[in-house]
Amino acid sequence: MKMKASLSLTGLVLGAYVLGILVFSFAQVDKNSIGVLRALRNSEEYRFIDPGLHLFFPFTTRYETYSRSGTIKFHQYMLGNFVELKQIEVINVDGMKVVLNLTLDYEFTSESFKEALTRAGGYSPEPFVEHVCRRTLLNRMVNANSSSFRDACYNDFLYSASQEAKDHLARQGFNLTTLMFKPFEDRPAELREATEHELQRWSVVKIKSNGE
């Protein structure tokens, strides 16, 4: 009888364990990330989970993770069978066409990243970081003379642009410990005299930009 009772108890424990596995799921959050548990019926309802192993109910909750650090590409690269053009191009004050191929490394602290996620509705703030950094680069490139993109001056230009973008993001409530533009694969800035067609097209782009 004791043996049967012991087996029955073991069976119940195992059954409960298996049922728990079927009903609940595990969320593993890496140490450099923040997890987000989001309600399936209301995407605006969410809560953060810190690094570690967590249980959640998959029938009512969706699990997402976002890294505190990353790299944003501002250069031409292949995306599947398509060429993705994300390099930065402007016509500067000297009438030169300037093309920059860059990468942007960024990192939030754990607490500032939660604040950034909150400001982004519980989603990654990276698209906003990319938008601000691209606009900062465009504005600085337009007003810089051609010598700013050569040799040591180019490094100074990228550093000051990094600091300006970082300060701008901080004013928006996005505080980063690291934000730095770097030449992609050590490529130098590309400069050449703009064609008449490019100058005309750029004047239209500037008019639209000023109207935004």
Side-chain angles (χ1 to χ4, degrees):
M1 291 295 292
K2 288 184 178 180
M3 182 174 292
K4 287 184 178 181
S6 177
L7 289 174
S8 298
L9 181 60
T10 302
L12 287 172
V13 172
L14 288 173
Y17 178 75
V18 171
L19 182 62
I21 292 177
L22 293 175
V23 172
F24 291 93
S25 295
F26 291 97
Q28 176 66 53
V29 183
D30 296 333
K31 65 179 182 179
N32 195 44
S33 302
I34 296 293
V36 177
L37 294 180
R38 191 181 305 277
L40 292 178
R41 292 187 176 181
N42 182 7
S43 62
E44 295 182 0
E45 183 181 328
Y46 62 88
R47 66 182 178 89
F48 298 127
I49 52 176
D50 293 320
L53 189 64
H54 304 266
L55 280 173
F56 72 99
F57 192 53
F59 299 105
T60 60
T61 309
R62 183 170 75 247
Y63 158 60
E64 305 158 354
T65 58
Y66 298 105
S67 176
R68 293 193 290 110
S69 61
T71 299
I72 298 173
K73 301 175 181 179
F74 293 105
H75 60 82
Q76 177 178 314
Y77 63 99
M78 294 299 296
L79 187 64
N81 295 323
F82 301 94
V83 176
E84 184 77 2
L85 294 173
K86 296 183 69 177
Q87 56 199 18
I88 315 292
E89 301 182 3
V90 303
I91 307 297
N92 75 343
V93 291
D94 297 335
M96 300 287 285
K97 182 173 183 179
V98 184
V99 180
L100 303 187
N101 288 275
L102 306 170
T103 56
L104 172 69
D105 293 332
Y106 71 89
E107 183 173 1
F108 291 86
T109 65
S110 180
E111 288 306 313
S112 64
F113 189 47
K114 285 183 180 179
E115 181 180 351
L117 284 167
T118 300
R119 288 178 175 271
Y123 295 100
S124 173
E126 183 171 289
F128 183 73
V129 172
E130 179 176 350
H131 172 75
V132 169
C133 290
R134 178 178 285 273
R135 295 301 305 176
T136 300
L137 280 170
L138 286 170
N139 291 336
R140 291 185 69 91
M141 289 167 66
V142 167
N143 296 305
N145 57 41
S146 299
S147 62
S148 300
F149 304 101
R150 296 190 176 97
D151 304 322
C153 292
Y154 185 34
N155 293 329
D156 293 338
F157 174 85
L158 293 179
Y159 177 79
S160 60
S162 300
Q163 293 302 305
E164 182 178 336
K166 186 178 178 181
D167 292 342
H168 184 87
L169 285 163
R171 290 193 295 272
Q172 301 295 317
F174 293 81
N175 296 300
L176 296 99
T177 58
T178 301
L179 190 148
M180 183 60 66
F181 293 112
K182 295 188 298 185
F184 172 65
E185 294 182 345
D186 294 326
R187 292 185 191 177
E190 301 173 23
L191 289 95
R192 64 171 174 78
E193 189 171 343
T195 65
E196 188 64 31
H197 174 69
E198 287 171 335
L199 289 169
Q200 291 175 356
R201 188 175 62 178
W202 181 248
S203 65
V204 173
V205 171
K206 286 201 298 183
I207 290 172
K208 289 183 178 180
S209 178
N210 290 335
E212 290 181 349

